[in-house]
PDB file of all heavy atoms in Angstrom:
ATOM      1  N   LYS W 314      11.224 -13.435  -0.638  1.00  0.00           N
ATOM      2  CA  LYS W 314      11.792 -14.782  -0.533  1.00  0.00           C
ATOM      3  C   LYS W 314      13.210 -14.724   0.027  1.00  0.00           C
ATOM      4  O   LYS W 314      13.591 -15.535   0.876  1.00  0.00           O
ATOM      5  CB  LYS W 314      11.758 -15.468  -1.895  1.00  0.00           C
ATOM      6  CG  LYS W 314      10.340 -15.777  -2.346  1.00  0.00           C
ATOM      7  CD  LYS W 314      10.298 -16.280  -3.767  1.00  0.00           C
ATOM      8  CE  LYS W 314       8.836 -16.417  -4.212  1.00  0.00           C
ATOM      9  NZ  LYS W 314       8.711 -16.568  -5.642  1.00  0.00           N
ATOM     10  N   GLU W 315      13.983 -13.726  -0.439  1.00  0.00           N
ATOM     11  CA  GLU W 315      15.357 -13.565   0.057  1.00  0.00           C
ATOM     12  C   GLU W 315      15.374 -13.271   1.557  1.00  0.00           C
ATOM     13  O   GLU W 315      16.252 -13.740   2.278  1.00  0.00           O
ATOM     14  CB  GLU W 315      16.071 -12.439  -0.706  1.00  0.00           C
ATOM     15  CG  GLU W 315      16.374 -12.782  -2.150  1.00  0.00           C
ATOM     16  CD  GLU W 315      16.786 -11.569  -2.981  1.00  0.00           C
ATOM     17  OE1 GLU W 315      17.099 -10.502  -2.394  1.00  0.00           O
ATOM     18  OE2 GLU W 315      16.774 -11.684  -4.222  1.00  0.00           O
ATOM     19  N   LEU W 316      14.397 -12.506   2.031  1.00  0.00           N
ATOM     20  CA  LEU W 316      14.306 -12.164   3.451  1.00  0.00           C
ATOM     21  C   LEU W 316      13.691 -13.291   4.283  1.00  0.00           C
ATOM     22  O   LEU W 316      13.773 -13.271   5.506  1.00  0.00           O
ATOM     23  CB  LEU W 316      13.470 -10.893   3.649  1.00  0.00           C
ATOM     24  CG  LEU W 316      14.072  -9.593   3.120  1.00  0.00           C
ATOM     25  CD1 LEU W 316      13.028  -8.479   3.151  1.00  0.00           C
ATOM     26  CD2 LEU W 316      15.293  -9.197   3.924  1.00  0.00           C
ATOM     27  N   GLY W 317      13.060 -14.251   3.609  1.00  0.00           N
ATOM     28  CA  GLY W 317      12.397 -15.341   4.317  1.00  0.00           C
ATOM     29  C   GLY W 317      11.130 -14.910   5.025  1.00  0.00           C
ATOM     30  O   GLY W 317      10.759 -15.458   6.063  1.00  0.00           O
ATOM     31  N   LEU W 318      10.417 -13.924   4.458  1.00  0.00           N
ATOM     32  CA  LEU W 318       9.240 -13.347   5.118  1.00  0.00           C
ATOM     33  C   LEU W 318       8.153 -14.361   5.447  1.00  0.00           C
ATOM     34  O   LEU W 318       7.463 -14.210   6.453  1.00  0.00           O
ATOM     35  CB  LEU W 318       8.630 -12.240   4.251  1.00  0.00           C
ATOM     36  CG  LEU W 318       9.392 -10.930   4.164  1.00  0.00           C
ATOM     37  CD1 LEU W 318       8.636  -9.933   3.307  1.00  0.00           C
ATOM     38  CD2 LEU W 318       9.635 -10.345   5.529  1.00  0.00           C
ATOM     39  N   LYS W 319       7.998 -15.369   4.602  1.00  0.00           N
ATOM     40  CA  LYS W 319       6.919 -16.338   4.861  1.00  0.00           C
ATOM     41  C   LYS W 319       7.106 -17.047   6.200  1.00  0.00           C
ATOM     42  O   LYS W 319       6.149 -17.526   6.786  1.00  0.00           O
ATOM     43  CB  LYS W 319       6.827 -17.345   3.722  1.00  0.00           C
ATOM     44  CG  LYS W 319       6.221 -16.732   2.477  1.00  0.00           C
ATOM     45  CD  LYS W 319       5.887 -17.762   1.435  1.00  0.00           C
ATOM     46  CE  LYS W 319       5.240 -17.066   0.251  1.00  0.00           C
ATOM     47  NZ  LYS W 319       4.785 -17.970  -0.761  1.00  0.00           N
ATOM     48  N   ASP W 320       8.348 -17.078   6.694  1.00  0.00           N
ATOM     49  CA  ASP W 320       8.628 -17.755   7.964  1.00  0.00           C
ATOM     50  C   ASP W 320       8.640 -16.797   9.158  1.00  0.00           C
ATOM     51  O   ASP W 320       8.807 -17.243  10.290  1.00  0.00           O
ATOM     52  CB  ASP W 320       9.982 -18.479   7.889  1.00  0.00           C
ATOM     53  CG  ASP W 320       9.988 -19.556   6.816  1.00  0.00           C
ATOM     54  OD1 ASP W 320       8.932 -20.196   6.610  1.00  0.00           O
ATOM     55  OD2 ASP W 320      11.036 -19.754   6.175  1.00  0.00           O
ATOM     56  N   TRP W 321       8.479 -15.502   8.903  1.00  0.00           N
ATOM     57  CA  TRP W 321       8.491 -14.543  10.004  1.00  0.00           C
ATOM     58  C   TRP W 321       7.205 -14.673  10.812  1.00  0.00           C
ATOM     59  O   TRP W 321       6.124 -14.884  10.251  1.00  0.00           O
ATOM     60  CB  TRP W 321       8.597 -13.120   9.475  1.00  0.00           C
ATOM     61  CG  TRP W 321       9.937 -12.740   8.943  1.00  0.00           C
ATOM     62  CD1 TRP W 321      10.962 -13.567   8.601  1.00  0.00           C
ATOM     63  CD2 TRP W 321      10.388 -11.421   8.666  1.00  0.00           C
ATOM     64  NE1 TRP W 321      12.021 -12.841   8.128  1.00  0.00           N
ATOM     65  CE2 TRP W 321      11.697 -11.513   8.162  1.00  0.00           C
ATOM     66  CE3 TRP W 321       9.815 -10.160   8.802  1.00  0.00           C
ATOM     67  CZ2 TRP W 321      12.443 -10.401   7.793  1.00  0.00           C
ATOM     68  CZ3 TRP W 321      10.542  -9.050   8.427  1.00  0.00           C
ATOM     69  CH2 TRP W 321      11.849  -9.167   7.930  1.00  0.00           C
ATOM     70  N   PRO W 322       7.307 -14.500  12.136  1.00  0.00           N
ATOM     71  CA  PRO W 322       6.086 -14.517  12.950  1.00  0.00           C
ATOM     72  C   PRO W 322       5.192 -13.328  12.592  1.00  0.00           C
ATOM     73  O   PRO W 322       5.673 -12.286  12.176  1.00  0.00           O
ATOM     74  CB  PRO W 322       6.594 -14.407  14.390  1.00  0.00           C
ATOM     75  CG  PRO W 322       8.024 -14.027  14.312  1.00  0.00           C
ATOM     76  CD  PRO W 322       8.515 -14.296  12.936  1.00  0.00           C
ATOM     77  N   ARG W 323       3.909 -13.555  12.735  1.00  0.00           N
ATOM     78  CA  ARG W 323       2.933 -12.494  12.464  1.00  0.00           C
ATOM     79  C   ARG W 323       2.243 -12.165  13.781  1.00  0.00           C
ATOM     80  O   ARG W 323       1.115 -12.587  14.027  1.00  0.00           O
ATOM     81  CB  ARG W 323       1.934 -12.954  11.406  1.00  0.00           C
ATOM     82  CG  ARG W 323       2.617 -13.187  10.076  1.00  0.00           C
ATOM     83  CD  ARG W 323       1.681 -13.726   9.022  1.00  0.00           C
ATOM     84  NE  ARG W 323       2.415 -13.961   7.784  1.00  0.00           N
ATOM     85  CZ  ARG W 323       1.952 -13.743   6.573  1.00  0.00           C
ATOM     86  NH1 ARG W 323       0.725 -13.312   6.414  1.00  0.00           N
ATOM     87  NH2 ARG W 323       2.697 -13.975   5.522  1.00  0.00           N
ATOM     88  N   ASP W 324       2.962 -11.431  14.618  1.00  0.00           N
ATOM     89  CA  ASP W 324       2.438 -11.069  15.921  1.00  0.00           C
ATOM     90  C   ASP W 324       2.965  -9.693  16.322  1.00  0.00           C
ATOM     91  O   ASP W 324       3.802  -9.112  15.627  1.00  0.00           O
ATOM     92  CB  ASP W 324       2.789 -12.130  16.971  1.00  0.00           C
ATOM     93  CG  ASP W 324       4.289 -12.376  17.103  1.00  0.00           C
ATOM     94  OD1 ASP W 324       5.100 -11.462  16.812  1.00  0.00           O
ATOM     95  OD2 ASP W 324       4.668 -13.493  17.506  1.00  0.00           O
ATOM     96  N   ALA W 325       2.471  -9.187  17.425  1.00  0.00           N
ATOM     97  CA  ALA W 325       2.823  -7.834  17.868  1.00  0.00           C
ATOM     98  C   ALA W 325       4.327  -7.666  18.063  1.00  0.00           C
ATOM     99  O   ALA W 325       4.889  -6.610  17.750  1.00  0.00           O
ATOM    100  CB  ALA W 325       2.083  -7.499  19.157  1.00  0.00           C
ATOM    101  N   ALA W 326       4.992  -8.703  18.540  1.00  0.00           N
ATOM    102  CA  ALA W 326       6.434  -8.614  18.781  1.00  0.00           C
ATOM    103  C   ALA W 326       7.221  -8.462  17.483  1.00  0.00           C
ATOM    104  O   ALA W 326       8.293  -7.855  17.470  1.00  0.00           O
ATOM    105  CB  ALA W 326       6.922  -9.849  19.544  1.00  0.00           C
ATOM    106  N   ALA W 327       6.690  -8.987  16.394  1.00  0.00           N
ATOM    107  CA  ALA W 327       7.387  -8.929  15.101  1.00  0.00           C
ATOM    108  C   ALA W 327       6.947  -7.749  14.245  1.00  0.00           C
ATOM    109  O   ALA W 327       7.528  -7.501  13.176  1.00  0.00           O
ATOM    110  CB  ALA W 327       7.153 -10.228  14.335  1.00  0.00           C
ATOM    111  N   ARG W 328       5.974  -6.973  14.690  1.00  0.00           N
ATOM    112  CA  ARG W 328       5.393  -5.892  13.878  1.00  0.00           C
ATOM    113  C   ARG W 328       6.442  -4.899  13.391  1.00  0.00           C
ATOM    114  O   ARG W 328       6.472  -4.553  12.205  1.00  0.00           O
ATOM    115  CB  ARG W 328       4.312  -5.186  14.697  1.00  0.00           C
ATOM    116  CG  ARG W 328       3.462  -4.241  13.893  1.00  0.00           C
ATOM    117  CD  ARG W 328       2.271  -3.750  14.736  1.00  0.00           C
ATOM    118  NE  ARG W 328       1.247  -3.218  13.869  1.00  0.00           N
ATOM    119  CZ  ARG W 328       1.138  -1.923  13.569  1.00  0.00           C
ATOM    120  NH1 ARG W 328       1.983  -1.054  14.067  1.00  0.00           N
ATOM    121  NH2 ARG W 328       0.169  -1.510  12.759  1.00  0.00           N
ATOM    122  N   ASP W 329       7.314  -4.435  14.287  1.00  0.00           N
ATOM    123  CA  ASP W 329       8.323  -3.449  13.894  1.00  0.00           C
ATOM    124  C   ASP W 329       9.299  -4.025  12.861  1.00  0.00           C
ATOM    125  O   ASP W 329       9.763  -3.302  11.984  1.00  0.00           O
ATOM    126  CB  ASP W 329       9.090  -2.937  15.113  1.00  0.00           C
ATOM    127  CG  ASP W 329       8.264  -1.977  15.954  1.00  0.00           C
ATOM    128  OD1 ASP W 329       7.237  -1.460  15.455  1.00  0.00           O
ATOM    129  OD2 ASP W 329       8.634  -1.745  17.112  1.00  0.00           O
ATOM    130  N   ARG W 330       9.602  -5.312  12.974  1.00  0.00           N
ATOM    131  CA  ARG W 330      10.491  -5.963  12.003  1.00  0.00           C
ATOM    132  C   ARG W 330       9.857  -5.941  10.610  1.00  0.00           C
ATOM    133  O   ARG W 330      10.526  -5.655   9.618  1.00  0.00           O
ATOM    134  CB  ARG W 330      10.758  -7.396  12.458  1.00  0.00           C
ATOM    135  CG  ARG W 330      11.710  -8.162  11.571  1.00  0.00           C
ATOM    136  CD  ARG W 330      11.898  -9.580  12.110  1.00  0.00           C
ATOM    137  NE  ARG W 330      12.830 -10.324  11.289  1.00  0.00           N
ATOM    138  CZ  ARG W 330      12.947 -11.644  11.313  1.00  0.00           C
ATOM    139  NH1 ARG W 330      12.220 -12.359  12.145  1.00  0.00           N
ATOM    140  NH2 ARG W 330      13.798 -12.253  10.522  1.00  0.00           N
TER     141      ARG W 330
END
Side-chain angles (χ1 to χ4, degrees):
K314 292 172 186 166
E315 290 167 14
L316 292 169
L318 287 182
K319 286 191 178 185
D320 298 325
W321 287 16
R323 295 176 182 218
D324 58 27
R328 191 171 199 265
D329 286 343
R330 182 180 181 197

